Amino acid sequence: CTSIVAQDKNGNVFHGRNLDYPHPVLRNLTMNLVFQKNGKAVYYGTSFAGYVGLWTGMSPNKFTISGDQRGTEHWWNWWKNVVSAFLFHRSPVSWLVRETLEEAKDFEDAVTRLSTTPLITGVYYIVGGVRAGEGVVITRDRKGPADIRPLDPLNGGWYRVQTNVDHWLPPPKKLNRRDVVMKKLDAVGQKRICKDKLYQVLSLSLVCLRTTIYTTLMSAATPREYTTILREKG
Amino acid sequence: PSPPTVVINLDEEPELRWLALKKVFDVDYLSKAAAEIIEATVPKWVHHAVIPIVKSLEKYIPPPYAGEIRGLASVLGGNLADAIILNFAYEFTAF
């Protein structure tokens, strides 16, 4: 997966994500979801039929969230996930996204919940808000945050990119999506960044892969523009 | 192309919320796709071995998800264990 949160010169925050998964059947199961209460939309998301959690979602006029897989565990640690889930009653990562979209009152509250709620396993949460500076990548361990990397536009940090590798580690040489995305974002520049440019970045050949199922573009300040595009063979 | 949109009414009972899928997706296709994903993710012998374990774990799943997964199982053809395995796909990939 690849997630980007970026802020333009006017303080508008944009959030885009590619969801990658090696089962093409998921393309036909992808759907946009509108969660309603009392006849009103309370939050939006994109998911797969048969799955109750969310990896991509938006609380309108508050914040947006995407989750990227974090694969730091060795396979023989699978039992820790089982113990976390059923003994400690920890939350699956996609259920915490839903709960946060439903309950958090603003960007700050969302970041606190996503950083501190105990989880079954690790993950990256990428969060975008509605005001300048409201953007962050949270690297999660089971118990809490391993790292929190907010936007820092005053010092050149007008975007954050997250793939499936910790940002402090070197990316894999064969599939270095992180550097490809950063190079393109630098070429676009903060003045010209917008949803269309974000889509172009997420469509680059080394970023949009054969396993990319969908791309979602969102900005919590303009909830009507929530867009998901199904990718055919990357 | 854009994916279809499904409205989930949170005022409904959790068991009924995901029945809205039937309006958008072919139920036979859904159940075959779910079986395909599980087959590709979980080795056959593991799948058979964990079915009774997964069923017994249902009581540990908190509301509203337990009810929602039960409702999904009915949409997918009534197999509760498979619906649970699908919904823990990320957490239990290694398993």
Side-chain angles (χ1 to χ4, degrees):
Chain A
C1 301
T2 305
S3 287
I4 304 167
V5 61
Q7 178 187 315
D8 71 9
K9 284 276 186 195
N10 298 319
N12 299 308
V13 180
F14 305 104
H15 189 161
R17 72 107 81 246
N18 279 350
L19 189 133
D20 305 338
Y21 204 80
H23 294 299
V25 71
L26 290 182
R27 280 196 185 89
N28 299 328
L29 301 179
T30 304
M31 57 188 172
N32 279 331
L33 290 160
V34 182
F35 291 86
Q36 289 188 342
K37 260 185 191 172
N38 300 318
K40 274 183 71 179
V42 283
Y43 61 100
Y44 298 80
T46 303
S47 192
F48 305 115
Y51 194 72
V52 301
L54 287 178
W55 284 83
T56 310
M58 173 180 69
S59 180
N61 301 305
K62 291 181 183 171
F63 55 86
T64 52
I65 307 174
S66 63
D68 286 3
Q69 183 181 13
R70 186 177 184 223
T72 52
E73 294 285 348
H74 292 295
W75 67 268
W76 54 83
N77 280 332
W78 62 266
W79 62 272
K80 291 184 184 172
N81 290 359
V82 177
V83 171
S84 292
F86 297 110
L87 204 58
F88 297 133
H89 300 287
R90 287 179 177 168
S91 179
V93 297
S94 62
W95 296 4
L96 180 58
V97 172
R98 251 186 85 177
E99 280 153 30
T100 304
L101 288 168
E102 189 166 341
E103 293 166 13
K105 61 181 191 297
D106 54 25
F107 170 83
E108 203 177 315
D109 187 13
V111 171
T112 304
R113 288 166 186 259
L114 294 169
S115 302
T116 56
T117 308
L119 292 170
I120 290 175
T121 190
V123 72
Y124 303 104
Y125 286 128
I126 301 88
V127 194
V130 289
R131 278 180 282 275
E134 288 188 344
V136 68
V137 174
I138 303 161
T139 302
R140 276 299 313 262
D141 288 333
R142 287 189 183 86
K143 285 182 184 171
D147 182 74
I148 295 179
R149 194 164 48 121
L151 288 176
D152 185 12
L154 294 177
N155 295 303
W158 60 273
Y159 66 80
R160 294 291 180 231
V161 177
Q162 185 59 55
T163 57
N164 303 105
V165 180
D166 293 343
H167 73 87
W168 57 91
L169 297 176
K173 281 180 188 163
K174 276 188 183 172
L175 188 65
N176 186 354
R177 279 172 290 151
R178 185 205 296 164
D179 287 352
V180 172
V181 169
M182 288 173 67
K183 206 172 161 187
K184 183 70 176 173
L185 285 170
D186 288 336
V188 169
Q190 191 181 9
K191 266 188 188 170
R192 294 197 300 148
I193 194 69
C194 61
K195 271 187 208 161
D196 286 346
K197 295 289 180 196
L198 216 52
Y199 181 64
Q200 286 174 19
V201 176
L202 289 166
S203 301
L204 292 170
S205 60
L206 288 170
V207 182
C208 187
L209 309 168
R210 290 184 75 83
T211 53
T212 302
I213 306 289
Y214 68 78
T215 299
T216 297
L217 301 161
M218 49 195 173
S219 180
T222 52
R224 283 188 178 187
E225 293 171 19
Y226 185 98
T227 309
T228 297
I229 303 107
L230 289 173
R231 298 293 200 166
E232 290 187 30
K233 296 177 189 168
Chain B
S2 296
T5 298
V6 177
V7 176
I8 302 297
N9 183 355
L10 297 171
D11 296 321
E12 282 187 329
E13 289 299 316
E15 283 84 354
L16 303 177
R17 288 173 190 172
W18 293 91
L19 297 184
L21 289 178
K22 288 182 176 179
K23 292 179 195 164
V24 176
F25 293 95
D26 176 71
V27 174
D28 283 343
Y29 179 78
L30 276 186
S31 120
K32 280 178 194 157
E36 197 181 312
I37 294 165
I38 289 174
E39 201 178 302
T41 315
V42 188
K44 222 171 198 170
W45 69 270
V46 176
H47 185 202
H48 285 302
V50 298
I51 284 173
I53 306 170
V54 170
K55 275 185 185 166
S56 71
L57 293 178
E58 191 215 349
K59 58 179 175 286
Y60 294 99
I61 298 175
Y65 303 109
E68 290 193 12
I69 292 172
R70 266 197 300 274
L72 270 175
S74 75
V75 174
L76 297 173
N79 190 333
L80 180 61
D82 280 359
I84 294 173
I85 291 170
L86 270 183
N87 276 277
F88 282 86
Y90 173 62
E91 281 78 9
F92 292 159
T93 299
F95 180 63

